[in-house]
Amino acid sequence: MNIDYPLLQKSLELATLHRQDNVAALSLKLAGRTDVDVPFVLNQIQGYQRMRLKVPRWARTEGILYPRHLSVEQCSSQATALYKQQLVSTLLPDPAMRQSMADLTGGLGVDFSFMAPLFAESYYVERQEELCRLAAHNFPLLGLEGSHIRVGDGLSFLTGEARGQQPFSLLFADPARRSATGRKVVALADCEPDLTRCLPLLLERTACLLLKLSPMLDISQAATQLPGTQQVHILSVDGECKELLLVVGREPAADLQYTCHGSRFHFSFSASEEQQAALQLADAPGAYLYEPDAAVMKSGAFKTLCSRFGVRALHPNSHLYTSEVWRPDFPGRGFAVEEVCGFSKHDLRRLRSLTDRANLAVRNFPMRVPDLRKKLGLREGGDYYLFATTLRRGEKALIVTRKTDGTRTSADTSTSGEGTV
């Protein structure tokens, strides 16, 4: 951002004035202007519009500067950053325990901006100079005047400047999940830094290590590769598994603890509880059908759901659950079952007489959604949700449902207008 101050000021004023505008249309209007930095203006508007939805606290703060698109795309949302803040408060409940923290992979700094206020001293370490310059500008606006900003590699920071200091109360790392060619990677050994190699150094410098990893990572494999893993936190936003957090200590956990968190649920269990629980199977779908949230699916708590929430599974591999009594606390989506049918010509004719559109999902079923939609002859959308699945005895079934909150009959449920499941 090597531009002179008057040009920066005018560019910022223009970006603020037009930050609600369509960026593509505005770029045409600004084409050829030399009194402002047009790419900078468009980038700030685009960054603001994205952060207004993703991190409202940043967007509400006047004067915040945004980097190029990728860093905004990869940063945490406000919901997940707030969760980390609360998690740190739980891990280190006494303020006297929160002396210092370091974010070794600072990025845009969203996670850092929510965790740093908990500590007496905080360090933001980032290899990209541009992001460090932005942090130096943005952090004071966010109330983080006392934070230390360091340009460089997080591991080099630990072995260099921080070597003679007391161990940090908390270290946080979100390894880069892109290869040198820009390809997305998932495995720990392919990320930068490689946590499987630097774990001893990290645990030498802290007794509490918080890691943000790819939500596609195999949890059991990660816990094996990081033997001090004590807690697993899986965060869901709008029904999509967004973040996988691991709390790692110097000693292995006697019983690994799992927490699944979404905007409408918070569900915790232990590895031993899932191992000892029994999968309770239903002979047929009951009055209500439940689809676990993506975070719960990721956790593998398939048996614990039965014992904890009083539901039964339709099949060991379908991961759909049912009950005769409404379970409002189930961690996922709930539906009222209208009917259960097969795939005979008679069944399909009856279905088409009921509705000409539906949201389709397949669970443990030998057909893709597009092929099933073509076979059923139904358009996308509407207030019906159809689940094609396999039942306990192996029979293929189509479960016709509508969304419900359990306080009214399915016939009273209004059109959801949500698109395909």
Side-chain angles (χ1 to χ4, degrees):
M1 233 178 262
N2 296 318
I3 57 177
D4 61 78
Y5 183 76
L7 186 63
L8 172 63
Q9 279 298 106
K10 191 168 185 178
S11 299
L12 282 173
E13 290 171 2
L14 188 64
T16 301
L17 181 65
H18 292 280
R19 62 185 181 184
Q20 307 291 347
D21 292 8
N22 179 279
V23 175
L26 184 62
S27 66
L28 296 176
K29 292 181 180 179
L30 298 181
R33 284 188 58 170
T34 58
D35 59 325
V36 292
D37 186 331
V38 175
F40 173 79
V41 170
L42 298 177
N43 188 75
Q44 294 310 302
I45 294 173
Q46 193 171 48
Y48 167 81
Q49 291 178 356
R50 288 179 176 275
M51 294 295 273
R52 181 181 56 188
L53 300 175
K54 195 170 187 178
V55 191
R57 183 180 295 181
W58 278 50
R60 288 195 304 266
T61 303
E62 292 297 331
I64 291 288
L65 297 182
Y66 302 104
R68 61 182 184 275
H69 168 68
L70 184 61
S71 295
V72 176
E73 181 184 86
Q74 293 178 335
C75 76
S76 291
S77 66
Q78 182 162 311
T80 57
L82 280 169
Y83 184 87
K84 297 183 191 74
Q85 182 187 71
Q86 181 58 48
L87 175 58
V88 170
S89 297
T90 303
L91 295 171
L92 305 170
D94 187 345
M97 302 169 67
R98 302 195 293 262
Q99 293 301 311
S100 62
M101 67 88 67
D103 183 339
L104 302 178
T105 52
L108 184 55
V110 173
D111 284 326
F112 178 84
S113 71
F114 281 83
M115 290 188 288
L118 299 175
F119 294 85
E121 190 172 31
S122 56
Y123 289 83
Y124 162 97
V125 187
E126 168 56 49
R127 291 187 296 184
Q128 297 185 53
E129 291 188 17
E130 178 198 3
L131 293 180
C132 289
R133 288 196 296 269
L134 288 176
H137 172 85
N138 291 337
F139 286 172
L141 299 176
L142 294 165
L144 305 174
E145 294 88 347
S147 298
H148 306 289
I149 298 172
R150 297 291 184 266
V151 182
D153 176 74
L155 300 182
S156 298
F157 167 75
L158 291 180
T159 57
E161 176 186 344
R163 184 66 183 175
Q165 299 179 12
Q166 291 291 320
F168 290 94
S169 307
L170 174 81
L171 286 180
F172 175 74
D174 176 11
R177 296 191 287 273
R178 288 185 182 270
S179 66
T181 60
R183 180 177 59 88
K184 288 186 177 182
V185 297
V186 174
L188 291 177
D190 295 332
C191 297
E192 177 62 35
D194 178 357
L195 296 171
T196 63
R197 301 185 63 180
C198 66
L199 185 62
L201 169 63
L202 298 176
L203 292 178
E204 176 189 326
R205 301 301 300 138
T206 187
C208 187
L209 174 64
L210 179 59
L211 303 174
K212 175 185 171 183
L213 306 174
S214 168
M216 298 187 67
L217 188 65
D218 182 277
I219 295 176
S220 59
Q221 183 180 42
T224 299
Q225 293 178 314
L226 304 172
T229 301
Q230 299 172 345
Q231 298 180 23
V232 175
H233 297 259
I234 309 169
L235 309 186
S236 169
V237 177
D238 297 329
E240 183 180 352
C241 187
K242 284 293 188 180
E243 291 191 9
L244 174 63
L245 304 175
L246 265 57
V247 178
V248 184
R250 292 169 181 167
E251 299 294 333
D255 192 7
L256 189 58
Q257 301 296 307
Y258 290 80
T259 296
C260 305
H261 179 82
S263 60
R264 298 182 179 179
F265 70 92
H266 187 85
F267 167 51
S268 297
F269 68 99
S270 67
S272 64
E273 181 180 5
E274 173 63 18
Q275 184 178 14
Q276 295 165 13
L279 184 68
Q280 301 171 31
L281 294 171
D283 292 328
Y288 299 99
L289 185 77
Y290 305 92
E291 180 188 42
D293 184 86
V296 179
M297 293 284 287
K298 178 70 178 179
S299 75
F302 304 122
K303 296 185 293 182
T304 301
L305 289 174
C306 295
S307 58
R308 191 78 70 82
F309 299 100
V311 297
R312 292 178 178 270
L314 296 183
H315 184 279
N317 300 322
S318 294
H319 306 317
L320 291 172
Y321 297 81
T322 189
S323 70
E324 292 295 343
V325 178
W326 175 244
R327 305 295 183 185
D329 55 345
F330 185 88
R333 300 195 300 172
F335 305 85
V337 175
E338 296 273 313
E339 58 182 278
V340 181
C341 59
F343 293 88
S344 67
K345 290 183 179 180
H346 171 76
D347 287 331
L348 297 186
R349 279 197 301 270
R350 171 168 167 71
L351 179 62
R352 294 187 193 107
S353 69
L354 183 66
T355 181
D356 63 349
R357 63 175 62 221
N359 305 280
L360 302 183
V362 295
R363 297 288 185 271
N364 189 26
F365 189 79
M367 189 179 289
R368 299 183 307 120
V369 167
D371 299 327
L372 178 61
R373 185 174 297 283
K374 183 177 180 180
K375 179 181 177 66
L376 298 179
L378 298 176
R379 291 181 294 160
E380 178 182 331
D383 60 342
Y384 283 97
Y385 289 75
L386 274 57
F387 292 85
T389 189
T390 302
L391 302 181
R392 179 176 184 174
R393 295 180 178 85
E395 63 269 42
K396 302 297 184 288
L398 192 62
I399 306 174
V400 182
T401 74
R402 296 194 198 196
K403 273 192 171 182
T404 182
D405 59 8
T407 61
R408 51 188 174 179
T409 64
S410 58
D412 294 329
T413 306
S414 61
T415 300
S416 69
E418 285 191 17
T420 304
V421 174

